[in-house]
Amino acid sequence: MTVENFPALPADRRRPAGGAGIGHHSTVASVTFTSQLRRFTETPEVQTDARTLRDALCSAFEINPRLRGYVLDDQSHLRANVVVFIDGVRVRDRESLADALRRDSRVHVLQALSGG
């Protein structure tokens, strides 16, 4: 399976959701957060020209800085209860977040469920 501070992504590489325009096919990656996170804070759907998971998450954090604390720990690694999928494949590298994105990648961020 495969799914500190981030440097700011230049404004010309970020787009709000729907940035591809009406009648155009999306040529940018999208980041979507599942409803579990929406209970705690706003979770924007972001379309971005980012080429790595780190940069894509940074785009979302720039829109809502509080989201960072729900997704990343104090080492800027994915929290233990957060799972990320890129194009349906689970991210394994939870530390560097350097997984590559295609221009049309779909990134889904969700909280892992646990219980007994």
Side-chain angles (χ1 to χ4, degrees), residues 75-87:
Q75 301 292 312
S76 293
H77 303 156
L78 286 178
R79 289 192 172 277
N81 65 329
V82 173
V83 180
V84 177
F85 291 86
I86 299 173
D87 300 321

Side-chain angles (χ1 to χ4, degrees), residues 1 10 15 18 28 52 58 70-71 85 90 94 102 111:
M1 288 189 300
R15 294 186 184 148
V28 295
T52 66
C58 181
Y70 290 100
V71 176
F85 291 86
R90 187 174 178 169
R94 302 175 56 82
R102 296 187 327 248
Q111 285 185 315

Side-chain angles (χ1 to χ4, degrees), residues 41-44 58-70:
T41 189
E42 299 248 351
T43 56
C58 181
S59 294
F61 300 155
E62 287 176 359
I63 295 169
N64 181 359
R66 284 189 57 206
L67 186 57
R68 179 188 308 261
Y70 290 100

Side-chain angles (χ1 to χ4, degrees), residues 2-3 53 78 82-86 89-91 107-110:
T2 61
V3 150
L53 176 58
L78 286 178
V82 173
V83 180
V84 177
F85 291 86
I86 299 173
V89 181
R90 187 174 178 169
V91 169
V107 178
H108 294 275
V109 181
L110 57 133

